[in-house]
Amino acid sequence: MPPLPDDPSPPSPPSRPWGPWAAIACLVLTLSLVFAWVAGWIGPAGRLTAPRLVDDIENGKPFPGFRRAHSRGVCVAGYFEPSAEAATLSRARVFRQPRTPVQGRLSIGGGDPFGAEAQARVRSLALSLRTDDGQEWRMAMNSFPFFAVATPAGFHAQLLASRPDPATGKPDPAKMAAFLERYPEAARFQAWAKSAPWSSSWANTEYNGVNAFRFIDAQGRSRFVRWSMQPQAAFEPLATTTRQDAEADYLQRELAQRLAQGPLRWDLVVTEAAAGDPVDDPSQPWPASRPTHVAGTLALERSEPQATGACRDVNYDPTVVPDGVALSDDPILAARAAAYSISFNRRERETARGDIARPAPTHGTEATR
């Protein structure tokens, strides 16, 4: 007999909120796959990963407890003051508050933390600017005006080709020739390395952020830019004899002498790209005719050994940017961030274990992380 109209209907099964759980599971799976891909656990065999890149930088001879590149350096601190024009270029807070504290690191190229500073062809400046609202801007700049190659694969190939031959102590000419044939843009960098004068100090060196970024102003308009820290100290070339005979910590001693007389300053000079300028290739310089703007002044007031200084445990990842600054699609930027992270994690684990490289007695210098 059919149920009467007032009979209660059978209860429906309770609904199960599977949607949110499925979304969370999908997100976790995606993040896991991304992590596994970057780590090299999945994907095509032999592909270039951040761990593999850092392995080849180490070349089987890491210095435990130190950065894998630009290993030797010194901590510095000071402040940044924006120019009146800066706020029209970007809405970044660092361009709007009167002064921003800065801590950073001056270093030399290479992976030897006990190498002779005066003999390093590349010098570097890394900075962390933290504004009063907690935003942070990290920069990693170098003395070369453009990068050697356009892609991470090119950098990896350069790394392998430039390894010294055990028999001669110099790179194999055949390997270098093959590298240049495949990556001809590197010839421009080699010409710079051979012809550009060596500066006599960290203080009178120009440091260039060779990657392109986007500045976003208060109205939401954006422009592609590159920037440089141009020294106010007069350039002085480093004599070849001084470079060859200087003590290992020559640049640190010279820097301390200058700082004892007062702050050292650089102008932050921003260059705007024009339509058609390469913004995803750091090996291609922009024409000198592009508009430039002085966005402020960096002042460094003091230095301290990196073994105990504030810069020791900082990863100067150049992709850490504040509101008002955005990344470009430059693949070298992403590769730098990934490799810096691997290097940072390795040295922090080594430090926690107490596994720290020490200088050979013949150097007579104290280890500085």
Side-chain angles (χ1 to χ4, degrees), residues 139-165:
M139 303 180 185
M141 298 163 285
N142 296 284
S143 56
F144 46 76
F146 39 75
F147 205 59
V149 290
T151 64
F155 175 75
H156 185 245
Q158 179 192 33
L159 185 68
L160 299 181
S162 59
R163 283 179 175 172
D165 186 320

Side-chain angles (χ1 to χ4, degrees), residues 4-56:
L4 298 175
D6 57 352
D7 283 353
S9 301
S12 301
S15 61
R16 300 182 183 274
W18 294 115
W21 290 106
I24 294 173
C26 182
L27 176 61
V28 171
L29 177 60
T30 300
L31 292 175
S32 299
L33 290 173
V34 169
F35 180 83
W37 176 273
V38 172
W41 299 338
I42 62 175
R47 72 182 181 87
L48 182 60
T49 63
R52 180 184 170 196
L53 181 61
V54 176
D55 286 345
D56 286 330

Side-chain angles (χ1 to χ4, degrees), residues 34 47 69 80 82 91 119-120 135 138 151 168 222 236 245 296 301 318 333 338 340-341 368-369:
V34 169
R47 72 182 181 87
F80 175 82
R91 65 183 181 227
Q119 297 180 27
Q135 296 189 65
R138 297 185 184 181
T151 64
T168 64
S222 67
E236 298 174 4
D245 299 338
E301 301 174 294
L333 265 179
Y340 287 15
S341 177
T368 54
R369 280 186 70 241

Side-chain angles (χ1 to χ4, degrees), residues 214-258:
R214 282 191 303 119
F215 272 7
I216 306 166
D217 66 18
Q219 288 71 44
R221 296 171 300 200
S222 67
R223 71 194 84 195
F224 283 102
V225 301
R226 289 173 176 165
W227 56 72
S228 299
M229 286 290 181
Q230 297 185 6
Q232 293 187 5
F235 179 84
E236 298 174 4
L238 183 65
T240 302
T241 53
T242 302
R243 189 169 74 235
Q244 294 173 344
D245 299 338
E247 295 183 354
D249 59 352
Y250 167 83
L251 290 178
Q252 293 189 49
R253 290 175 181 267
E254 200 275 345
L255 179 72
Q257 292 172 359
R258 288 182 182 253

